[in-house]
Amino acid sequence: MGRTRSCRIALRAGVVGLVLVGLTATPAAAQEFTPGSPGLGDPYFPLAGNGGYDVGHYALDFSYDPSTRQLDGTATISATATQDLSRFDLDLRGFDIDSLSVNGAPAIFTRDGQELVITPAAGLLAGTSFTVVVGYQGVPSVVTDPDGSIEGWVPTDDGAFVVGEPQGSPAWYPANDNPRDKATYDFTITVPAGLTVMANGVLDSRTTVGDQTTFVWRAISPMAPYLATATLGRFDLTETTLAGGLPSYVAVDPTLAKGNVLRKLPDIVEFYSSIYGPYPFEAVGAIVDDAKEVGYSLETQTKPVFYRVPDEATLAHEISHMWFGDSVTLTEWPDIWLHEGFATWSEWIWSEHNGQKSAHHWFKTLYNTPAQDTAFWTPPPGDPGGPAFMFNGTIYNRGAMTLQALREKIGDTDFFELLAEWASQNRYGNVTTPEFIALAEKVSGQELNEFFDIWLYRPEKPTSW
Ligand SMILES: [Zn+2]
């Protein structure tokens, strides 16, 4: 994303670039069926996600009426039990549940905060697949995060701006809301005719019957739940095909002056493909809405969503997240620099590639910030210190500086090999900072623990490394 959430990329300020901006089971059997845990223990969002199963696919089918803000839908979730499961949770904020079944049989459920606690009629054996169907309705919600920013389902004057990092997705669909549980998605979304729904993946069909239009989008690559979107409203949608047959969908709110920046999208995709490896997904594009109250853009998978017409650096930032953030995703949220530091450095290398300021120049400009400016240098990017600080400017700036310092330490050949290897080895996966350090040491043949300790973990300006 953009900060104060610029990717969350937000208001950019001058040189610095951004920021500101059970049941029981089978009675007779001796099997021990136990409940799945209510969370996965993330240090910042311990209740996000749930234990005991792994989702393979979400089929989200709903209607939404902006005039009443009512969402009425059915979520069909295909999952596999990872333990002998007596009971499990989904994450869902608000809504009335109309029906709930597991493998076709009605299931008992209760609500506890963001947990939808489901007890199937029979225990689920480890390793077996099962299907949960949730019928739900209500007004989807806006979620306020620890840093005061908003996410989830944010109503706009003509529809909704839909962003879920880090915890907004359960505001509009039942999910195993943890970046570790990636899945494929289908979206079948019905809105009043004249509106356009922009979800992830490829547009399969759009059908108008009477005064309602149904959009079907298919996202066939693994996706973390927080990267889903269903941003809707009035949009001018341009569908094209980029090099290699990649479908591109660029949607712009017709009330905004489109400008020329979006025309750079194909070149940006081509450039990052040349240094990071093949573009990871089945589609690309951009969703440009008027959502100033949100104040940041987000790298929703296959098509980032922008709260206003982006500048070139922001467009490049969000597109680079397709490799670093969306395809290669953190395991736990304190490692957010693995997304934002990489995307900020990607802005710099795009600038350098175009003969504008080099990444070294960006680094030097920021490095001139005095050590006494603790708001610039802390918290250290590898340890934000809590969920209220995960989109702090240092995560972006010092994160990007860490990469540029590494580049200058190990040289371009090893550095670019490292980035391409990181993207390729971890495609569609989840990663940690120690894994990145280990790969950097392997590729460069250098011992880098102290280097990364200084750059990522010490709460002060690095002075020698
Ligand atoms: Zn970002």
Side-chain angles (χ1 to χ4, degrees), residues 1 4-5 8 44-45 93 114 142-152 154 163-171 177 294 296 298 333 386-391:
M1 133 164 58
T4 334
R5 284 164 156 239
R8 283 166 161 240
Y44 291 175
F45 301 97
R93 297 171 180 274
Q114 75 180 67
V142 176
V143 177
T144 299
D145 285 329
D147 65 0
S149 61
I150 57 172
E151 59 162 326
V154 183
V163 287
E165 188 188 33
Q167 52 171 351
S169 291
D177 189 27
V294 176
Y296 63 84
L298 184 65
W333 287 109
F389 312 109
M390 58 186 286
F391 299 111

Side-chain angles (χ1 to χ4, degrees), residues 1-3 5-9 165 297-299 317-318 320-321 324 339-341 343-344 347 391 396:
M1 133 164 58
R3 232 182 254 169
R5 284 164 156 239
S6 170
C7 289
R8 283 166 161 240
I9 268 192
E165 188 188 33
S297 302
L298 184 65
E299 62 268 28
H317 177 116
E318 301 301 348
S320 76
H321 271 309
F324 303 118
H339 299 183
E340 302 307 347
T344 303
E347 297 176 36
F391 299 111
Y396 295 75

Side-chain angles (χ1 to χ4, degrees), residues 90-97 111 113-116 134 136 169-175:
L90 287 164
D91 301 304
L92 183 66
R93 297 171 180 274
F95 294 107
D96 293 326
I97 307 293
R111 309 296 298 274
Q114 75 180 67
E115 305 296 317
L116 170 58
V134 182
Y136 64 112
S169 291
W172 60 284
Y173 70 96

Side-chain angles (χ1 to χ4, degrees), residues 268-292:
I268 293 170
V269 172
E270 184 182 5
F271 172 62
Y272 289 145
S273 301
S274 77
I275 58 173
Y276 299 151
Y279 181 78
F281 302 125
E282 64 275 12
V284 73
I287 307 164
V288 181
D289 205 352
D290 180 7
K292 294 184 182 61

